[in-house]
Amino acid sequence: MATEWRKSTGSGDAGNCVGVAASDLAVLLRESDEPGIVLTTTPAALRAFIQAVRAGNLDRTLGD
């Protein structure tokens, strides 16, 4: 079965977006510019990351 990649409808035809796909146990993420590089995570870990971003908990630069 082929992986069904999805991207935000707000991305339009732009080539600079993140694709997401789901497998039985994982969430797959890839950058449209480098589709051969795929990150794998769990739904819970991705949810925690998104919540941290929304809360501003990751708003700092390296070296801070």
Side-chain angles (χ1 to χ4, degrees):
M1 177 179 217
T3 302
E4 184 178 336
W5 290 97
R6 297 177 58 129
K7 67 176 184 171
S8 169
T9 55
S11 298
D13 291 330
N16 55 348
C17 57
V18 174
V20 64
S23 71
D24 291 339
L25 301 173
V27 177
L28 310 174
L29 303 162
R30 71 179 182 183
E31 168 62 41
S32 59
D33 292 342
E34 293 288 342
I37 300 173
V38 178
L39 302 176
T40 304
T41 189
T42 64
L46 181 59
R47 189 176 313 108
F49 174 73
I50 292 170
Q51 288 172 342
V53 169
R54 287 181 176 162
N57 295 337
L58 305 176
D59 291 347
R60 66 182 189 103
T61 60
L62 294 176
D64 282 353

